[in-house]
């Protein structure tokens, strides 16, 4: 296996509280976000990299073999990737088999559920004894940052008992506990400088870091013997990783769907501030975002049948309503305030609640939420933050200069790439759905028809058709009634065919689907802008400015594949042929899931032109959640599909 190939294949292990372990198969970190132990000190936020990686040397029959790899300026050292005979990734662990001149060493990494604890196990599969040297390389930094040699961090080591240590980067910092199950520890401090992270360089960021060694373990391993080294932010009590919860294999599903469900569990985390569950939007750098959570929840928790989990997530966000709005995101740090700069997250709440009700028929929960739903509607009608209000035509307007409120929210310094001030098409489809869903709940659960909201929904439907459906048989992207029309061909119109209530008749929905399919559909999702548009950016690459300017100007988003698939299935009444077609169309995403980027993950985005390698976050919640929402839909006909 060559270094380039091995260093593009990433793995991710998570612990259910926001922490994780992640790197590449080569052993070389290629991102600042990679680390053997990235701990969350205020779940799921306040994440810090504590253990960058580990250097391993095996001595057998008088020969020495270094198993690790690092990228330094102009050179890769050591070259441990040359000894990788095979590897296997799963959601629970990663395993390597190293072949050292026909002497084999097995290495496994796993994390403990609910703890900031990583466990490495080395097994001597040689028929002779060997010596293993393990040298952890430490840092102490925020996971968005980088670490450099300095006098501030001395990394003081305190021995608690034999082969069990506590390391403080400096006085009163979070301690790191290190334990080895056999061998001897030799304390020696050394800096390893200018390790390079190539993915950071490609993204236009600083990409060099210094890491600190505080000692190494010397372990004699007899043939067949194993040793573990454990890293934790807590006192180490056991060395057995706990099994992932809430997953039972369904024999009626293909392997991909079961694996997708297991993959989705990586996003489910506990939020300490609310004592409830929430969804991490993506790894490695996102926390929990309102919009992403409401969309991903539909597949990750509702479609998979995890009722208590879905209820907890909904309660987490309902408890944070303010002026009729859900948070755009919870901050990374406890000192920061919750942000409310989103117009669509709150409206997605109605979709999530509707699907929750359809799946679980939990009328008491929905009934308890009804006063909050009324509050949301009333705030939007009279007006809330960022000029969000209902116009005289019954459409929902929002936006102020300098703010990005829709999911197309790229912003570079003070420049908003796609401001979309006015009445965006998906916002008004969501607004129409919010009104219809409230009316549905009002009749079904309260037995009280809501005449006012029914009238407003009908008004919205009428003027939506007047202002959005154009003479080319697709939907304008943004309008300001009587003043402005943006008729760019974007994927936001697909919601008129995919969501439960459409303001369009079926014939118009079909035209919208045809436009999206012809102009925006790729193997991996929908383009955010059609290629014929002069603003189309074919490649997502370069520094932050270049990347953010391409983010929603042609870049492909896999989560939108789910909306396209749902629209296609609904318009074809989930017939056998449609189900087969959608399953076959998912094959490139399936290949990506297993063989490209992050193992058992679906990337955030792909290039707009000739999409191939995943980009952005390597594992994105709604990229995984939306295919689940499609394939676990109650009308999807698994029994008729060959797989």
């Amino acid at each position: 296996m060559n270094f380039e190939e091995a260093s593009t294949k990433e793995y991710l292990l998570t612990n259910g509280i926001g922490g994780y372990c992640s790197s590449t198969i080569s052993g070389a970190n290629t991102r600042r976000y990679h680390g053997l132990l990235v701990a969350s000190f205020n779940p799921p936020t306040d994440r810090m990299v504590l253990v960058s990686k580990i250097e391993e040397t095996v001595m057998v029959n008088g020969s020495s073999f270094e198993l690790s790899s690092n990228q330094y300026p102009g050179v890769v050292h050591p070259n441990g990737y040359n000894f990788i005979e095979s590897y296997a990734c799963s959601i629970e662990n990663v395993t390597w088999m190293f072949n050292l001149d026909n002497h084999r060493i097995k290495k496994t990494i796993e994390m403990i559920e609910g703890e900031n604890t990583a466990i490495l196990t080395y097994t001597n599969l040689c028929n002779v004894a060997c010596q293993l040297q393990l040298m952890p390389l430490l840092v102490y930094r925020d996971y968005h940052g980088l670490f450099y040699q300095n006098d501030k961090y001395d990394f003081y080591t305190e021995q608690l008992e034999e082969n069990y240590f506590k390391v403080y980067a400096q006085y009163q910092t979070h301690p790191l506990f290190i334990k080895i199950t056999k061998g001897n520890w030799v304390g020696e401090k050394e800096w390893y400088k200018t390790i390079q992270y190539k993915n950071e360089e490609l993204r236009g960021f600083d990409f060099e870091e210094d890491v600190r060694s505080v000692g190494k373990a010397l372990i004699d391993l007899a043939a067949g013997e194993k040793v573990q080294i454990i890293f934790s932010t807590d006192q180490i009590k056991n060395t057995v990783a706990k099994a992932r919860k809430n997953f039972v294999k369904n024999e009626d599903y293909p392997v991909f769907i079961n694996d997708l469900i297991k993959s989705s569990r990586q996003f489910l985390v506990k939020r300490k501030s609310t004592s409830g569950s929430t969804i991490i939007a993506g790894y490695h750098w996102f926390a929990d975002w309102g919009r992403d959570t409401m969309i991903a929840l539909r597949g990750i928790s509702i479609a998979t049948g995890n009722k208590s989990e879905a209820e907890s997530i909904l309660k987490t966000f309902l408890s944070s309503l303010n002026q009729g709005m859900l948070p755009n995101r919870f901050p990374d740090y406890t000192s920061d305030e919750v942000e409310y700069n989103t117009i669509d997250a709150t409206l997605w709440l109605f979709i999530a609640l509707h699907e929750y009700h359809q799946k679980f028929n939990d009328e008491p929960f929905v009934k308890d939420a009804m006063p909050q739903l009324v509050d949301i509607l009333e705030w939007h009608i009279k007006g809330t933050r960022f000029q969000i209000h209902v116009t005289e035509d019954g459409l929902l307007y929002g936006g102020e200069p300098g703010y990005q409120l829709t999911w197309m929210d790229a912003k570079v310094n003070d420049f908003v790439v796609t401001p979309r001030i006015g009445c965006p098409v998906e916002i008004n489809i969501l607004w129409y759905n919010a009104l219809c869903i409230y009316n549905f709940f009002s009749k079904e659960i309260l037995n009280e028809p809501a005449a006012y909201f029914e009238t407003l929904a009908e008004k919205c439907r009428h003027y939506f058709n007047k202002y959005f459906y154009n003479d080319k048989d697709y939907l304008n992207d943004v309008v300001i009634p009587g003043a402005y029309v943006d008729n760019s061909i974007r994927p936001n119109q697909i919601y008129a065919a995919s969501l439960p209530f459409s303001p369009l008749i079926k014939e118009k929905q079909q035209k919208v689907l045809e436009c999206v399919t012809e102009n925006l559909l790729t193997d991996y999702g929908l383009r955010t802008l059609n290629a014929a548009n002069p603003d189309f950016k074919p490649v997502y690459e370069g520094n932050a400015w270049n990347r953010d300017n391409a983010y929603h100007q042609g870049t492909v988003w896999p989560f939108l594949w789910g909306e396209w698939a749902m629209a296609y299935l609904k318009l074809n009444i989930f017939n056998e042929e449609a189900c087969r077609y959608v399953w076959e169309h998912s094959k490139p995403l399936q290949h990506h899931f297993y063989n490209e980027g992050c193992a058992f993950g679906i990337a955030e985005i792909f290039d707009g032109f000739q999409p191939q390698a995943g980009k952005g976050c390597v594992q994105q919640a709604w990229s995984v959640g939306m295919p689940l929402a499609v394939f676990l839909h109650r009308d999807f006909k698994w029994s008729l599909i060959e797989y």
Side-chain angles (χ1 to χ4, degrees), residues 292-557:
D292 298 60
T293 297
M294 292 301 111
I295 294 174
L297 168 68
R298 300 158 63 199
I300 289 175
S301 299
I302 297 174
T304 56
N306 288 288
K307 179 179 179 296
S308 61
E309 179 181 279
E311 182 179 341
S312 178
I313 294 167
L314 289 166
K315 283 182 176 178
T316 293
F317 281 85
L318 281 166
S319 67
S320 299
L321 276 170
N322 185 282
Q323 295 184 36
M325 297 177 68
L326 284 190
N328 181 40
R329 71 179 185 98
F330 290 102
D332 282 343
Y333 311 105
T334 53
S335 58
D336 295 342
E337 294 184 359
V338 176
E339 297 179 357
Y340 286 89
N341 55 315
T342 172
I343 190 172
D344 50 351
T346 313
L347 304 177
W348 277 112
L349 169 66
F350 286 80
I351 304 296
L353 275 170
H354 182 264
E355 295 186 11
Y356 174 89
H357 177 263
Q358 295 293 300
K359 181 73 175 182
F360 304 117
N361 195 31
D362 185 357
E363 291 192 357
F365 179 76
V366 177
K367 186 175 182 179
D368 287 345
M370 289 293 281
Q372 290 167 291
L373 300 186
V374 173
D375 188 59
I376 290 170
L377 297 177
E378 290 178 345
W379 269 104
H380 282 67
I381 292 167
K382 69 183 179 182
T384 184
R385 299 176 178 90
F386 306 110
Q387 296 192 59
I388 298 171
H389 67 278
V390 173
T391 68
E392 292 181 358
D393 297 315
L395 301 177
L396 191 62
Y397 176 103
E400 292 179 354
Y403 291 95
Q404 70 284 34
L405 302 182
T406 71
W407 82 273
M408 291 186 159
D409 58 357
K411 183 178 179 180
V412 189
N413 298 322
D414 293 328
F415 174 66
V416 178
V417 181
T418 50
R420 305 181 76 223
I421 296 173
C423 301
V425 63
E426 83 280 12
I427 299 303
N428 280 276
I429 299 168
L430 285 165
W431 175 241
Y432 178 74
N433 271 266
L435 293 168
C436 291
I437 288 167
Y438 181 82
N439 294 336
F440 171 80
F441 286 157
S442 202
K443 291 177 182 177
E444 292 291 318
I445 297 174
L446 301 182
N447 295 314
E448 297 175 358
Y452 173 71
F453 293 121
E454 286 182 354
T455 301
L456 191 55
E458 177 56 28
K459 186 176 185 180
C460 176
R461 186 200 64 76
H462 173 78
Y463 284 102
F464 182 92
N465 279 266
K466 176 179 179 180
Y467 290 116
F468 283 99
Y469 196 86
N470 62 39
D471 58 5
K472 295 182 180 179
D473 291 322
Y474 68 90
L475 295 175
N476 298 319
D477 191 60
V478 183
V479 302
I480 299 176
Y484 171 77
V485 174
D486 176 2
N487 63 357
S488 302
I489 299 177
R490 294 190 181 273
N492 304 302
Q493 60 186 305
I494 194 64
Y495 294 115
S498 67
L499 292 185
F501 299 92
S502 178
L504 303 179
I505 61 173
K506 187 173 181 179
E507 289 74 15
K508 289 183 177 180
Q509 292 179 50
Q510 185 65 45
K511 290 293 185 181
V512 167
L513 177 63
E514 290 171 3
C515 173
V516 169
T517 302
E518 179 182 350
N519 292 280
L520 305 174
L521 181 64
T522 73
D523 285 344
Y524 299 97
L526 299 184
R527 295 185 177 97
T528 40
L529 189 64
N530 65 312
N533 193 297
D535 291 329
F536 176 76
K537 302 292 190 300
V539 180
Y540 178 87
E541 65 181 1
N543 59 26
W545 173 267
N546 292 330
R547 285 184 287 108
D548 282 345
N549 271 277
Y551 206 34
H552 301 112
Q553 298 287 64
T555 297
V556 170
W557 291 72

Side-chain angles (χ1 to χ4, degrees), residues 150-373:
N150 60 79
D151 296 330
K152 179 180 178 181
Y153 295 104
D154 187 54
F155 287 93
Y156 169 73
T157 302
E158 175 187 347
Q159 184 168 348
L160 302 177
E161 56 186 62
E162 185 180 7
N163 293 332
Y164 184 25
F165 307 91
K166 182 191 292 187
V167 180
Y168 293 96
Q170 68 167 149
Y171 179 66
Q172 290 188 331
T173 58
H174 296 291
L176 171 70
F177 294 89
I178 304 175
K179 182 176 183 177
I180 54 174
T181 55
K182 66 167 297 182
N184 299 306
W185 181 265
V186 178
E188 53 184 36
K189 295 181 180 180
E190 187 175 353
W191 285 99
Y192 286 74
K193 302 189 67 176
T194 62
I195 292 178
Q196 295 186 332
Y197 303 144
K198 285 301 182 181
N199 275 312
E200 300 303 313
E201 182 180 18
L202 291 173
R203 297 173 69 226
F205 296 137
D206 292 339
F207 60 96
E208 292 185 342
E209 179 163 58
D210 304 333
V211 297
R212 181 71 154 166
S213 164
V214 297
K216 60 185 176 183
L218 305 179
I219 304 138
D220 292 321
L221 284 182
E225 195 174 14
K226 67 176 60 175
V227 64
Q228 290 185 323
I229 182 167
I230 304 104
F231 302 97
S232 182
T233 59
D234 300 303
Q235 293 277 352
I236 297 171
K237 298 176 182 178
N238 67 65
T239 59
V240 179
K242 301 173 186 175
R244 263 316 152 205
K245 301 175 182 177
N246 302 324
F247 177 76
V248 178
K249 183 178 179 180
N250 189 318
E251 299 296 341
D252 293 331
Y253 295 157
V255 172
F256 172 61
I257 299 305
N258 278 306
D259 286 344
L260 201 62
I261 294 171
K262 290 178 71 175
S263 173
S264 75
R265 312 316 295 163
Q266 293 185 315
F267 303 105
L268 268 297
V269 296
K270 297 297 182 183
R271 171 161 278 283
K272 184 179 179 181
S273 64
T274 62
S275 300
S277 298
T278 188
I279 291 177
I280 291 285
Y283 291 97
H284 300 89
W285 49 79
F286 284 130
D288 42 346
W289 291 61
R291 171 190 306 116
D292 298 60
T293 297
M294 292 301 111
I295 294 174
L297 168 68
R298 300 158 63 199
I300 289 175
S301 299
I302 297 174
T304 56
N306 288 288
K307 179 179 179 296
S308 61
E309 179 181 279
E311 182 179 341
S312 178
I313 294 167
L314 289 166
K315 283 182 176 178
T316 293
F317 281 85
L318 281 166
S319 67
S320 299
L321 276 170
N322 185 282
Q323 295 184 36
M325 297 177 68
L326 284 190
N328 181 40
R329 71 179 185 98
F330 290 102
D332 282 343
Y333 311 105
T334 53
S335 58
D336 295 342
E337 294 184 359
V338 176
E339 297 179 357
Y340 286 89
N341 55 315
T342 172
I343 190 172
D344 50 351
T346 313
L347 304 177
W348 277 112
L349 169 66
F350 286 80
I351 304 296
L353 275 170
H354 182 264
E355 295 186 11
Y356 174 89
H357 177 263
Q358 295 293 300
K359 181 73 175 182
F360 304 117
N361 195 31
D362 185 357
E363 291 192 357
F365 179 76
V366 177
K367 186 175 182 179
D368 287 345
M370 289 293 281
Q372 290 167 291
L373 300 186

